[in-house]
Amino acid sequence: MRRMAGVFLAGALLALGSTSAALAVAPDPAQVAQVFARQTQAITARAHLIYKPAVTDPPFEGNVTVFEQRMGLVVVDAGGSPPSGEAIVAEIRKISPKPVRYLIYTHYHGDHNLGAGALRRAWPDLVIISTLKTRENMTGEPMAFVKTYAQSYSDMADAGARAAANPKLPDAVRAGWGRIAKAGPGLVAGYTGMQVYPADLTFTDRLWIPDDEAPLEVMFLGRGNTDGDAVVWAPKQRLLAAGDLVVSPIPYAAQTYPGEWIATLKKLEAFDFAYLVPGHGALQTDRAYIDKLITALQTVRDQVGPLARANVPLDEVRKRVDLKAMKSGFTGDDPWLAFLMDAVFTNDLISNAYKEARGEAVIQGAG
Ligand SMILES: [Zn+2]
């Protein structure tokens, strides 16, 4: 077992795969179009959401928001693979014939930006924007996972095929692994030839993209999901694109800063939004999910903090905490969602809350 350095949503799942020299799962290009397909939802005037259906099945890739300004389009995030980028370009062309002028990355995780090449080819003049931190992460070690992406998905699909045949696992968990195994050849084919497109233009606090009908404010509100999350506020649409500060139906906690994350989420709640586009998952129209997420973060901090400060070892802390109620608030009684919840949220959040309580650093891109 190895801990995957990548910090996209699949990261913790990939840790379950075995490392082998050759691809255990052969790529199947014929599956790619279906596996990476996108759909579009009109949100309100001049704003659309492009999303990946079946959000809790792979590929675990982020939402894309498209704003229509007078002179062109502004796109938030770009999908997580070359074929996702192609699918997103096709969806954008259905929304408007205007060119994409700006592409904003919410953060550096590959599931939000590795489709950018297709947008750049379609609109060569587009300017890519991110926080300075996100650019640093995309040009540094945190992005190194791109080199082993196809291998990692091959490992995951291979592990999935074995788990799907394991009679000791609950039916819903076997079925979930079965969906990963089935998509495996398409995933391996899609996650090849990856190229990183770091931002052309960076900011540290705030950047305006003016327009009469859809002005946009791009902001860094504090650390949370990463050390450089950007959120995009459209005051006329009352729409907030939150990136992976908000991921649903299962939140994501890889290299997060629990205490600062809570403070940043409270800043999001202070916006007078009518629509919130999470990094993954369905469009939100109220604060209920953010409230639930804040409560979950606080619950983990409250339980882990005193134990961490008393020098209880991390493995022992994991045994002593009682997070059943918190977890079932997200997963209901679905065993597959419960598995995902531990894999991409609870386990990492405990580690990060432990480090936070002991004054240790959370390192972006660390396994
Ligand atoms: Zn993501």
Side-chain angles (χ1 to χ4, degrees):
M1 303 242 294
R2 83 178 155 156
R3 191 77 178 93
M4 176 69 187
V7 281
F8 44 99
L9 185 56
L13 287 173
L14 296 175
L16 297 163
S18 61
T19 304
S20 52
L23 292 176
V25 174
D28 180 3
Q31 271 196 12
V32 165
Q34 182 260 321
V35 166
F36 290 90
R38 292 300 198 276
Q39 292 181 3
T40 296
Q41 170 186 359
I43 301 174
T44 185
R46 297 176 178 272
H48 287 76
L49 167 61
I50 300 175
Y51 64 97
K52 202 216 73 129
V55 70
T56 54
D57 290 336
F60 304 108
E61 294 195 2
N63 284 326
V64 171
T65 312
V66 180
F67 294 102
E68 185 185 347
Q69 296 190 324
R70 186 186 297 270
M71 301 296 289
L73 307 177
V74 180
V75 175
V76 181
D77 284 341
S81 66
S84 298
E86 299 291 346
I88 288 160
V89 167
E91 292 297 302
I92 292 171
R93 291 199 194 280
K94 289 185 216 165
I95 293 168
S96 168
K98 291 180 183 176
V100 175
R101 295 178 72 209
Y102 298 101
L103 167 62
I104 302 163
Y105 296 150
T106 55
H107 62 295
Y108 75 91
H109 296 167
D111 56 309
H112 297 260
N113 55 58
L114 289 169
L119 279 79
R120 175 137 274 171
R121 279 194 300 281
W123 300 285
D125 293 335
L126 78 78
V127 174
I128 301 177
I129 297 170
S130 78
T131 62
L132 179 58
K133 279 284 181 197
T134 289
R135 192 181 197 286
E136 288 172 0
N137 288 330
M138 288 182 71
T139 52
E141 195 55 31
M143 212 68 188
F145 69 88
V146 169
K147 298 183 203 110
T148 52
Y149 219 92
Q151 175 76 59
S152 301
Y153 269 91
S154 168
D155 290 349
M156 184 171 78
D158 187 40
R162 282 182 274 118
N166 182 347
K168 291 182 187 148
L169 293 173
D171 287 350
V173 175
R174 291 172 61 185
W177 279 118
R179 292 192 293 276
I180 289 176
K182 185 163 176 251
L187 294 169
V188 173
Y191 286 127
T192 55
M194 308 272 261
Q195 192 174 336
V196 179
Y197 294 86
D200 309 304
L201 175 65
T202 63
F203 71 99
T204 48
D205 292 316
R206 194 158 294 240
L207 181 148
W208 281 93
I209 307 178
D211 185 65
D212 291 343
E213 301 293 336
L216 299 172
E217 192 175 0
V218 191
M219 289 168 282
F220 172 72
L221 298 175
R223 301 199 301 182
N225 162 58
T226 71
D227 56 1
D229 302 298
V231 303
V232 180
W233 171 235
K236 292 213 169 177
Q237 282 69 27
R238 294 176 59 215
L239 191 162
L240 194 58
D244 281 3
L245 289 162
V246 183
V247 171
S248 76
I250 302 295
Y252 180 68
Q255 278 94 37
T256 47
Y257 306 89
E260 292 163 84
W261 190 2
I262 290 171
T264 305
L265 288 171
K266 286 181 176 170
K267 289 182 188 170
L268 294 186
E269 287 195 319
F271 283 85
D272 181 29
F273 67 79
Y275 310 97
L276 183 138
V277 176
H280 302 243
L283 182 71
Q284 300 178 15
T285 54
D286 61 30
R287 286 154 183 77
Y289 187 84
I290 303 182
D291 281 343
K292 187 163 77 167
L293 179 54
I294 290 172
T295 301
L297 298 176
Q298 197 57 56
T299 299
V300 171
R301 291 184 81 225
D302 288 348
Q303 292 198 30
V304 170
L307 298 171
R309 285 187 286 272
N311 295 319
V312 176
L314 179 58
D315 286 348
E316 182 64 25
V317 172
R318 292 189 193 283
K319 291 178 198 153
R320 288 203 208 170
V321 293
D322 179 3
L323 301 172
K324 279 198 201 70
M326 181 279 283
K327 290 197 277 189
S328 67
F330 289 90
T331 67
D333 55 6
D334 183 327
W336 176 242
L337 291 184
F339 165 76
L340 286 178
M341 180 84 181
D342 280 342
V344 304
F345 183 69
T346 319
N347 293 340
D348 289 330
L349 185 61
I350 291 170
S351 301
N352 295 336
Y354 189 87
K355 287 178 186 159
E356 182 180 73
R358 294 168 65 85
E360 296 168 7
V362 171
I363 309 290
Q364 294 303 311

